[in-house]
Amino acid sequence: EPEVTQTPSHQVTQMGQEVILRCVPISNHLYFYWYRQILGQKVEFLVSFYNNEISEKSEIFDDQFSVERPDGSNFTLKIRSTKLEDSAMYFCASSTRQGQFSEQYFGPGTRLTVT
Amino acid sequence: RKEVEQDPGPFNVPEGATVAFNCTYSNSASQSFFWYRQDCRKEPKLLMSVYSSGNEDGRFTAQLNRASQYISLLIRDSKLSDSATYLCVVSGGGNKLTFGTGTQLKVEL
């Protein structure tokens, strides 16, 4: 069964450093997403991406964040200058379509720890 | 009112029991509804999409009441492996999924 994959599984970085989280969505999916989950809290939407453009983003997704599809398989989330409060689990997801009944499938996540 | 509200639990039930979780959502324009399960420190896994008034998949039944803005999940014949957190998830028709905080289920011998 096809799966979303993410690397690394755990990333430790110092405050102020840049990090890039990587995802390989399911191969025939066209819509890609990033979510985050701070420990003990709910999963929160960050951004959705389609046809090489951001289609929707949340208030959390400020100028420190960017997304890119650098090639035909990878989808990345970059945090330019990490803050302590960026420590969270970051999940990538993908879907075949958008809108009603769009089912999103999640990767195993990258645990980001900012020290 | 929270966008998606769930009783956090935990629900502790014996193996074989039937258990039901409820969820309410605030946005009446919401169009798509899902139940995901999440094991500790793992990713959300899609359990069921909830179409029209509801649907059934084996031991799991989901129901939707649009008038009351209420979704439920019923698990029959609970198994130890059902122990997890169950996330109620709502979409407004765009791409963004809005998650509840989840209801924790512990199935015991």
Side-chain angles (χ1 to χ4, degrees):
Chain A
E1 185 177 315
E3 292 179 335
V4 176
T5 59
Q6 290 185 243
T7 54
S9 57
H10 191 190
Q11 173 91 47
V12 181
T13 190
Q14 288 190 325
M15 203 166 48
Q17 295 297 304
E18 175 184 285
V19 293
I20 298 176
L21 310 183
R22 291 183 166 80
C23 167
V24 178
I26 295 172
S27 62
N28 64 335
H29 286 191
L30 301 176
Y31 299 86
F32 314 121
Y33 314 87
W34 284 100
Y35 292 81
R36 79 170 186 192
Q37 187 174 31
I38 294 170
L39 188 64
Q41 297 186 24
K42 65 179 183 178
V43 177
E44 299 173 291
F45 171 79
L46 292 178
V47 66
S48 59
F49 190 87
Y50 168 70
N51 199 25
N52 282 319
E53 286 185 350
I54 289 174
S55 44
E56 191 173 354
K57 62 182 180 179
S58 71
E59 290 176 356
I60 303 168
F61 194 88
D62 62 22
D63 293 343
Q64 293 299 315
F65 291 88
S66 61
V67 288
E68 193 179 32
R69 188 150 163 85
D71 54 44
S73 58
N74 288 285
F75 178 51
T76 62
L77 174 70
K78 182 193 289 187
I79 309 175
R80 243 179 292 282
S81 177
T82 49
K83 304 191 265 290
L84 293 176
E85 54 264 38
D86 293 328
S87 294
M89 194 76 159
Y90 288 80
F91 293 110
C92 174
S94 67
S95 66
T96 56
R97 60 180 189 267
Q98 66 173 343
Q100 198 172 12
F101 307 136
S102 166
E103 296 179 342
Q104 296 183 22
Y105 295 89
F106 285 72
T110 293
R111 180 169 304 282
L112 177 65
T113 303
V114 182
T115 62
Chain B
R1 185 177 175 184
K2 288 182 185 174
E3 287 184 275
V4 180
E5 199 148 4
Q6 296 182 253
D7 180 345
F11 284 57
N12 298 313
V13 302
E15 219 177 358
T18 295
V19 62
F21 306 133
N22 302 322
C23 168
T24 56
Y25 59 95
S26 61
N27 184 354
S28 59
S30 299
Q31 296 184 17
S32 303
F33 309 90
F34 308 92
W35 284 99
Y36 281 75
R37 84 171 259 168
Q38 186 174 32
D39 293 284
C40 190
R41 296 184 171 234
K42 301 283 191 182
E43 75 272 25
K45 286 190 191 291
L46 181 63
L47 184 65
M48 296 180 79
S49 302
V50 188
Y51 303 116
S52 59
S53 62
N55 53 300
E56 187 172 317
D57 183 3
R59 298 183 293 111
F60 299 85
T61 301
Q63 292 199 309
L64 168 64
N65 184 322
R66 286 184 188 269
S68 303
Q69 294 179 209
Y70 168 95
I71 313 154
S72 66
L73 177 69
L74 183 80
I75 305 175
R76 288 180 296 277
D77 188 23
S78 301
K79 306 204 181 297
L80 293 175
S81 56
D82 293 334
S83 297
T85 297
Y86 289 83
L87 307 175
C88 177
V89 182
V90 173
S91 172
N95 302 317
K96 167 188 166 182
L97 294 183
T98 300
F99 284 75
T101 50
T103 298
Q104 191 179 7
L105 172 66
K106 294 181 182 176
V107 181
E108 301 163 331
L109 285 170

